[in-house]
Amino acid sequence: MGELSELFAPETVAVVGATEREGSVGRAIMDNLVADFDGTVVPVNPNYDEVLGIECVSDVGAADADLAVVVVPPKIAVEAVRQAGESGVRNVVVITAGFGETGSEGAARERELREVAQQYDLNLVGPNSLGIMSTGVDMNATFGPDNARPGGMSFMSQSGAFITAVLDWANDQDIGFRDVVSLGNKAVLDEADFVREWGDDPETDVVIGYLEGIEEGREFIDSAREVTQDTPIVLVKSGRTDAGAQAASSHTGTIAGSDEAYETGLEQAGVIRAESVQELFDAAQMLGSQPLPERDDVAIITNAGGPGVMATDAVGDSGLSMASFSDATLDAFSEKLPAEGNIYNPVDVVGDASNERFRNALEIALEDENVGCAVVLSAPTAVLDYAQLARDTVELSEAYDKPVAACFMGGERVEPAAEVLKDAGIPNYFDPARAVDSLDALSEYADISTREYDAPTAFDVDREAAHDILSAVKGRGDNRLGVEAMDLLDAYGIPTPEGDIVDAPTDAEDVAARIDGDVVMKIVSPDILHKSDIGGVKVGVSEADVYDAYEDLITRARNYQPDAEIIGVQVQEMVDLDSGVETIVGMNRDPQFGPLLLFGLGGIFVEILEDTTFRVAPVAESEAKAMTEEIDSAPLLRGARGRDPADVPAVVETIQRLSQLVTDFPAILELDINPLVATPDGVQAVDVRLTVDPDQL
Amino acid sequence: MNTLLVTSTHESTGKTAVTLALGLLANERGQSVGYMKPKGTRLQSNVGKTLDQDPMLARELFDTDAEMHQMEPIVYSPTFVEGAIRGREQTDELREQVQSNFDDLATGKDLMLVEGGGTLSTGGIVGLTDPQVADLLDAQVVLVADYTQPGDIDEVLAAAEDIGDRLAGVLFNRVADTNYDELETDVVPFLERRGVPVLGVLPRVQELAGITVEGLASELGAEVVTDAPTDAFVERFLVGAMGGDEALRYFRRTKDAAVITGGDRSEIHTAALEAPGVKCLILTGGHRPPGAIVGKAEQKGIPVLLVNSDTLTAIERAEDLVRGGRTRDERTVELMRELLFDHTDVDALIGADEGASSTGDNEE
C-alpha cells in the first residue's frame, strides 16, 4: 500500500465546519459520510453540541481522526488545517474555495496553506476540491449528490463538476470506481502523487483522469512509467486547441504548455491519451475487464456486410491491423460458412446466420494464433438470438483468453444481450469504430506494459565552461545568445566546425590561416536576425580576401542596421553541405514537461516541411535513436538513392549530449542547432541560437 | 557667479537629470543654486500655459520660491512656433525677457543652471537656440550626448563647432557596457585631440533607463490588482496577440519587459507569467482578468495593471513614457548625482571655488 493509503481508508473522519444548515457544503458532506461510511464520523464545530444526532467536538484535536475534511470559510481554513496538523492528523481534504483561483488574497492564503502542510507533513487534497471518495470503505467525503459504486477504476479530476457529472452517468451505466479524487488547486498533492498511490493499490485496475495541466511533467513521467508496467493510465487533457487553452488558463491559471509536449510526455510516460470523455471510459472499461492481446491482429466476425466495412476502416485508422488467417482457419471457415459468405477478414457469416454459425465462426477465429483479438459485429435478424450470441461471445472470449469487443447494433433488442455482456465486463457499442478503438487501447497498453526504459548516458562534459559561456547573457539587452556561444557545444562534446569570433580584420586572418581551405564569414550580432538578408554572410572566402571581407561585413552591418550591437565576425571552416544532410536538433522548455527535445530535417526545410519529432529530456540512447528513425526523411540519413549513409550514431549522440546540456542547465529556455550537418564522417553543428534565463544561472 | 547651460544633441538624453543633479552637487558644496529653462518643451497641450514638470522639480530640490513663469518664460509649443513664423513674436522682446528673468533669478546665487529645450537647435526661429541663449546669458555649455557607435561623433563635433568657445565639455550619458571601453579608449582621446573636452562618460544604469512598475501604473492611471511588488523596472513593451505557445517563446527572449494585452487573453497572461524577463502585465479594456490569473501572478510576484484604454493606445502611452526618459522624481536626480560624482570632475565643472564661504559638506 502507498503513502496515501490512510487518506483513502481512514477509520475516523473529522468534518471541520460540520453543520445541519440545509444547502450548505458542511451539511452535504455530513449527509454523504453518515449515509455509507464504514468508519466513524466526527463533526467539528464549536457552535454545536451535535450535528445530525452525532456528538460534535469543538476542535479537531478532540476528534482523534486520521482524516480531516475542512469546509470552514476561507479566512479560517488555514488555521483549521494548522490545528489538524498540530493534533497529529496526517490527511486533510480542503473543500473550501477562495484560494489561488480567486486572485490576490487567495493566492497568499494558498501559499500559507502550502507552508502549513509542509510543516506538518500533511497529505493535503485541494483546496477548492469537491472532496474524495473511496468505495473500499464506502466513504463519500464530497459534497456531490451521488456516491460511486464499487469497481476497479480510480479517478482523478481537476474539475469537481466533471466528477459529479461522471458519477451520475457511471451509476446509470453500472460503472464502478475504487477511489475518486477532486484535485482542486493541487496546492500539495498532485496527479503524480495519486498515480503513484494507485499504482501501489492492488484494488485499482485502471487509473483515469481529467487534467487541465500537469504540475511537474518530468516527475509525472517517471512516476507514470513505473505504474504503467502493471496498471494502465488513461487521461483526457483539455486545452488542446488555442481556444481550449485560453479557457483552461482562465479556469485554473494553468499555462497551456504545448500540445506536442503533452502528447510526447504522455507517450513517454506510457499513458494512454483519450481525446474525449467517451474514449476515456471506453478505454478504461476495456482495460479494467479484458485480457491483454498478445498481438495486435484483429478478426472481425459479422453478419452485416456494411458495418463490417466500417469496422475495417476503423482498424485502418487505429494501431491495430487486420489479422491474416492461417490455412487451417480458412479451411475451417470454408467448411462452416455458406458459399456466399466471406472467409477472409472481415469474416461475413451472412445475414441468415444462426447462433450456431456465428459461434462457430468466432471460435475458429479465436483459435487461430494469428488472431490477437476480435470484434463481434452483428445486426439484429429474425434468426439470431442476441442474448445467446452474447453468452457465446463471453464464453469463447474467456475460453481463449483473448479480448473481444462487442458491437451488437440496434436499440431495444440489444438490451438483454448488453446486460449479459456487461456482467462479463465486455462493453457493447453501437458504433463499430468505438469497438475497434477500445481494442486499440488494450493493444496499446499491451505494448506499454512490456516496455523497458534505459537510463540516459552520462557523458563527460565541461559544465563549468558551459556555465561561463551562458553567463554572457547577463550583460545583454535581451536573453538571446547566438554563434558567440558555439563553445557551449564544444564544452558538451558536440562537434562544431573549426573557427572563432574576432573583432579585428587581422585576427580574422589569423583564424583563417589556421583553417584548411576557404572559410565562411558571418557577422555576429544579437540584433541582426537575418544575416544573409543584409549580406552578412560570405561563403568560400580565400585567405587573401579575409581582411577585405571582414571590413565589408562590418560596413554592411553598420549601414543596414546602425543601432545593432556588433560583437564581431565569425570565421569558420567550410562545411560541405552537399555531402551531408542538414538536420535540426533543438529544445524548447515546456512550462509543464520541461525540456522538450526536437529532432528533424533542418536548414531551410524546418518551417516548410515541419518534419520533426519530440521527446522530453533527458533521453536514453534508445529514445534518441528512435527520434532519428521516426522522421519522414529518415531514409535521407540512411543514404537514399545511392548516397553514402550519414553517421547516424553521431546524430544520436548529439541528441543525447544536448539532452544532458539542457537537463544540466534549467536556465536554457530554448536552443536550436540548425543546421546540424550529418555527413558520412560525423556531424557538425554549424549554427546555434539560444534563449537563457539569466536569473537561473 | 557661474552660469552653466545644459544642452544635448538629441531629445531625451538626460538633460534634466544632469542639470538638476549638478544643482544638488553645488548645493552640497555650499553654493546657492538657481534654475531656469527658457524654453518649455514638455508640453501637456498645444495651447495655453503648461505645467512643465522640470521647473517644478527644480523648485522642490533647490527650495526656491521662484515663479514658474519666471523660470520658464517661453512655452515653445507648436502654437508659439506657428505664431513666431507668422511674425507675431518679437525676437528682441523675447531675448530681453529671457535676460531679465535670468537676472532676477540669478540675484544672490552662486550658480545658475540653465536647461536647454529639446535639442541644441531648438529655438532658432526666435533666435534662441541653446548656443544663442548661452551667448545671451554668458554661460558655459555642457553638451550631453548619447553614444552607441563611432558615427555618433559627427553630431558631437558639429554641436561643438556650433557652441564654440563656450563649450565646457561633452558629457556622454547612459553608455552601454558594450560601448564603454571603445568610447573611453578610442573616442575620448580623439575628441580631445580635436579640441573638444570630455567631462565624463556615464554608464547606463537601469534605474534611469526604465520606469518602475509603480511609476508606470501612476502615469497610465492604471489600477494595480495584485499585491506583488511594483518596484521592478520596465524598459520595453510587448504586445501579446499571438497563440500561447508562440507568445511564450517571444516573451522569454526579452528582458525587463511589460506585456500589454487584452484582459480576456488568459493564455497570453499565463505565458507572460512564465517568462523570466516579464516584469509586469498591463491588461487593457478595463475588464478584470479571471481570479485564477491574478492568483497565479501573485504567486509569481508579477504585478498586474488594469487600464481602461485599448491595447494600441496603452502601448503608445507606455512607449512614450520610456522613450521620453522623463526625470520624474528626486530619486532619478539623486541617482544622476551619484553618477556625476563618480564619473566627472564635479569641482572643475561647477566651480567649487566660487562658493568660497562654504567649507563644503560633501559626505563622500
Side-chain angles (χ1 to χ4, degrees), chain A residues 100-104 107 246 249-250 252-253 255 258 473 476-480 562 565 588-589 591 669-670 691 693, chain B residues 149 178 226-227 236 245 248-249 252-255 264 266-267 270-271 274 276 290-296 298:
Chain A
E101 80 283 6
T102 54
S104 205
Q246 186 171 344
S249 293
S250 62
T252 53
I255 181 159
S258 72
V473 84
R476 289 293 179 78
D478 60 13
N479 291 336
R480 306 276 283 152
E565 182 193 331
N588 187 18
R589 195 167 295 273
L669 300 179
E670 59 172 338
T691 303
D693 176 3
Chain B
Q149 51 152 328
T178 45
T226 47
D227 293 330
R236 50 186 69 80
D245 199 26
L248 180 59
R249 279 177 186 254
R252 274 175 169 174
R253 291 174 184 175
T254 74
K255 277 182 177 164
D264 58 338
S266 35
E267 83 287 19
T270 49
E274 192 68 26
I293 297 291
V294 178
K296 193 78 170 185
E298 198 73 57

Side-chain angles (χ1 to χ4, degrees), chain B residues 251-262:
Chain B
F251 296 155
R252 274 175 169 174
R253 291 174 184 175
T254 74
K255 277 182 177 164
D256 305 316
V259 167
I260 303 184
T261 191

Side-chain angles (χ1 to χ4, degrees), chain A residues 201-217:
Chain A
D201 173 24
E203 303 300 322
T204 295
D205 300 326
V206 192
V207 175
I208 62 172
Y210 165 81
L211 298 178
E212 288 179 8
I214 285 182
E215 297 304 307
E216 298 289 339

